[in-house]
């Protein structure tokens, strides 16, 4: 790595950080403006309860905004992970062109594509941040990310029923009242009037568990049952026997229950969790999970194609042509982003469940098949 490479890479990552702050900040501001009433609802209630409405409500609102968008910024980064490197590359090359640094490097005998090579490599490396974000950072935040805008500081926990939720072993869970874990984590997730039907591989009942109450033990990773009873011999061949049970080991966790309630949060899971849920399609549906899994494989490559489309457009010797270069970049990358959006929507509408695997794979990879060759042709046509 020579001096040129180090200089260009440092400049790219400075612009990458700046683009991240600007684009994610704009995303946050836009979302906050559209949902300001929901964010401020509990703040006004807190101010009224404290007797000093204005001051308490203001501090409560600022705290709610910081608490909500800190976690949401990780999701916003996933959605903007393809645009941020493009903006960073454009800013880097535009600044080098306007300050005549690009001209000096070309005069030193460095080919133009050789100058863009460090940016391409840095953009590919930056995709590693996307994988880390999706696989390591976002999954532990599921409970925080599934909150609505008006649930950030609400002391009231929304309860709901659970009907026939299937775990990895094939058991079915029925709960009359499920209450999620409190926002501060002091009160665990609880279930009231729960019934569990254990089944074999042929979906025949093996045992029945019932308990008036249960709560989730985070340290043990299991449900603690209060006065739980397990009855076996349900098929009639054996006599009915009943025994007490205090712990229920299952793959159903509070995080998975949150997904069960809101099916649009499968993108918050790790790839291994998605593969596990695909074994139980009755709870979550096959097509939505396949769309998330296949897009997670295609998205890093799609981001690279997006960057390779932008670089030939902004590589120019003439500072007077920067406006036209910016326009070309905007049009070409915008067309690629639109095709990704359309492909993502079409991937969720498989004609038949049996063809869902092939359908989602082909549709989600279609923008890469279309714009990948275009990027190669544009790079080949760059005048060096």
């Amino acid at each position: 790595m020579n001096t040129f490479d180090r200089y260009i890479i440092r400049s790219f990552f400075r612009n990458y950080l700046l683009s991240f702050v600007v684009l994610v900040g704009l995303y946050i501001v836009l979302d906050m403006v559209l949902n300001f009433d929901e964010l401020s609802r509990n703040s006004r209630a807190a101010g009224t309860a404290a007797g000093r409405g204005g001051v308490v409500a203001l501090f409560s609102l600022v705290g709610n905004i910081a608490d909500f968008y800190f976690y949401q910024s990780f999701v916003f980064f996933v959605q903007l992970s393809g645009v941020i490197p493009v903006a960073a590359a454009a800013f880097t090359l535009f600044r080098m062109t306007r300050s005549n640094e690009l001209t000096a490097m070309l005069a030193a005998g460095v080919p133009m594509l050789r100058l863009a090579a460090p940016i391409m490599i840095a953009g590919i490396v930056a995709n590693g941040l996307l994988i880390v974000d999706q696989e390591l950072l976002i999954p532990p935040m599921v409970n925080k990310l599934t909150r609505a805008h008006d649930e950030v500081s609400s002391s009231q926990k929304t309860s709901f029923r659970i009907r026939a939720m299937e775990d990895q072993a094939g058991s079915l869970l029925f709960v009359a009242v499920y209450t999620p874990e409190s926002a501060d984590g002091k009160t665990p997730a609880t279930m009231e009037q729960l019934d569990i039907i254990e089944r074999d591989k042929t979906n025949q009942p093996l045992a029945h568990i019932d308990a008036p109450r249960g709560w989730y033990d985070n340290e043990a990773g299991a449900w603690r049952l209060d006065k739980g009873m397990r009855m076996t011999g349900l098929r009639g061949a054996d006599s009915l026997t009943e025994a007490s049970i205090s712990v229920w080991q299952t793959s159903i966790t509070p995080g998975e229950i949150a997904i069960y309630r809101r099916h649009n949060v499968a993108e918050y899971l790790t790839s291994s969790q998605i593969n596990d849920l695909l074994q139980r399609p009755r709870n979550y549906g096959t097509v939505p999970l396949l769309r998330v899994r296949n897009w997670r494989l295609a998205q890093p490559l799609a981001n690279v194609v997006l960057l390779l489309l932008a670089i030939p457009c902004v590589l120019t010797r003439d500072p007077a042509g920067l406006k036209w270069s910016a326009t070309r970049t905007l049009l070409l990358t915008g067309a690629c982003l639109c095709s990704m959006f359309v492909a993502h929507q079409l991937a969720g509408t498989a004609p038949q469940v049996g063809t869902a695997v092939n359908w989602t794979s082909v549709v989600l990879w279609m923008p890469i098949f279309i714009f990948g060759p275009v990027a190669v042709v544009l790079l080949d046509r760059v005048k060096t």
Side-chain angles (χ1 to χ4, degrees), residues 198 206-210 229-234 240-243:
E198 296 180 352
L206 292 176
H208 173 256
I209 300 173
D210 69 276
M229 301 299 295
R230 183 174 183 269
M231 180 181 295
T232 58
L234 302 181
L240 292 175
T241 58
E242 195 171 23

Side-chain angles (χ1 to χ4, degrees), residues 98-126:
R98 292 196 61 172
S99 60
N100 293 320
E101 292 177 341
L102 192 63
T103 302
M105 292 180 182
L106 292 174
V110 182
M112 191 171 287
L113 281 180
R114 177 63 181 82
L115 292 175
I119 295 179
M120 298 178 191
I121 296 173
I124 295 173
V125 172

